[in-house]
């Protein structure tokens, strides 16, 4: 049963339909509230909404998703509907999110950030148990670096000769210094450095 009623939708400040806009708006809202932008890595978002007066937010996706946060080695399960009340540095009354601990899925009810932006993030279960991790484990860095019309995250090969152009989604310093020397082919791929 959905927690998002027609009454809630009618009172929403913002309602968006579609994956691209849903991804953009959910990351923007998380960032605006001082939370890491990779906290809700949902796919195929069909609807998202936000009631500014109460802080109620919802995201609906086509199917349930299990995501592994590589930096901490944790599996998190996202239901087809995720709801919460969001405020500065905190998500409370969270539904639709579970974390795998040992052999069990634990339902999460609250997420809070201490000492933002480089501090710790705490996940609290409905049982009161909690775990704390670095905020950086849930942050997605913007990998697009536009250099002369070239999207390095998409169009540039990772290794040209012996120069490693990308490391963890960011352009290494050596390439930044030599950007002026980059020749771009018609297909926006690097010919040589």
């Amino acid at each position: 049963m959905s927690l998002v009623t027609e009454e809630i939708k009618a009172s929403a400040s913002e309602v968006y339909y579609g994956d691209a806009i849903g991804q953009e708006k959910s990351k923007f809202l998380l960032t605006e509230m001082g939370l890491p932008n990779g906290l809700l890595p949902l796919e195929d978002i069909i609807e998202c909404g936000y009631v500014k007066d109460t802080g109620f937010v919802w995201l609906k996706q086509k199917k349930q998703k299990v995501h592994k946060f590589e930096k901490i080695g944790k599996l998190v399960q996202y239901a087809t509907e995720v709801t919460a009340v969001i405020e500065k540095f905190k998500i409370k009354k969270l539904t639709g999110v579970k974390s795998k601990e040992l052999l069990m899925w634990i339902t999460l009810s609250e997420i809070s950030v201490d000492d933002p932006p480089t501090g710790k993030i705490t996940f609290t279960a409905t049982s009161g148990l909690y775990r704390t991790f670095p905020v950086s484990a849930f942050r997605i860095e913007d990998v697009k670096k536009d250099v002369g019309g070239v999207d390095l995250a998409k169009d540039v090969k990772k290794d040209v000769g012996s120069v490693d152009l990308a490391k963890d989604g960011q352009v290494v310093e050596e390439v930044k210094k030599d950007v002026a020397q980059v020749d771009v082919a018609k297909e926006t791929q690097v010919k040589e450095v």
Side-chain angles (χ1 to χ4, degrees):
M1 181 175 166
S2 176
L3 294 175
V4 184
T5 64
E6 291 303 317
E7 185 178 320
I8 290 173
K9 282 186 186 182
S11 67
S13 316
E14 305 171 26
V15 178
Y16 301 97
Y17 300 92
D19 185 54
I21 191 78
Q23 297 284 344
E24 178 186 329
K25 293 298 180 178
S26 64
K27 287 180 178 103
F28 176 77
L29 182 60
L30 287 168
T31 304
E32 285 292 303
M33 294 298 173
L35 297 159
N37 61 353
L39 205 51
L40 298 170
L42 305 183
E43 292 177 351
D44 297 326
I45 296 174
I46 53 176
E47 179 182 303
C48 71
Y50 177 53
V51 181
K52 193 171 189 170
D53 295 338
T54 62
F56 183 78
V57 64
W58 74 90
L59 295 137
K60 292 182 180 180
Q61 60 183 347
K62 288 183 182 177
K63 61 182 180 175
Q64 173 181 297
K65 179 184 181 193
V66 175
H67 177 78
K68 183 174 184 178
F69 288 97
E70 294 295 335
K71 290 182 181 177
I72 59 170
K74 289 288 177 191
L75 288 174
V76 178
Q77 181 184 82
Y78 298 90
T80 55
E81 181 178 279
V82 175
T83 67
V85 174
I86 191 167
E87 58 189 46
K88 200 71 171 168
F89 308 118
K90 185 179 253 186
I91 294 175
K92 54 188 183 180
K93 298 183 181 178
L94 180 63
T95 67
V97 181
K98 296 178 180 184
S99 175
K100 189 155 191 181
E101 294 295 328
L102 297 175
L103 301 173
M104 297 175 21
W105 287 99
I106 307 293
T107 302
L108 299 177
S109 61
E110 191 172 291
I111 302 169
S112 60
V113 173
D114 303 317
D115 190 30
T118 59
K120 302 288 183 185
I121 187 165
T122 302
F123 296 84
T124 306
T126 53
S127 64
L129 297 173
Y130 66 92
R131 293 282 308 259
T132 302
F133 301 98
V135 169
S136 61
F138 303 93
R139 195 174 291 128
I140 299 172
E141 299 299 327
D142 185 18
V143 295
K144 285 188 171 187
K145 303 289 182 188
D146 191 65
V147 181
V150 177
D151 181 355
L152 292 175
K154 183 177 179 184
D155 298 326
V156 178
K157 294 177 184 176
K158 280 194 172 189
D159 191 344
V160 177
S162 63
V163 179
D164 183 14
L165 291 178
K167 183 176 183 182
D168 295 328
Q170 295 182 352
V171 177
V172 293
E173 291 301 317
E174 295 164 339
V175 174
K176 286 181 182 177
K177 291 175 188 173
D178 295 331
V179 165
Q181 299 175 9
V182 175
D183 268 342
V184 181
K186 284 184 181 178
E187 300 83 32
T188 66
Q189 298 214 353
V190 173
K191 282 179 147 178
E192 60 186 58
V193 175

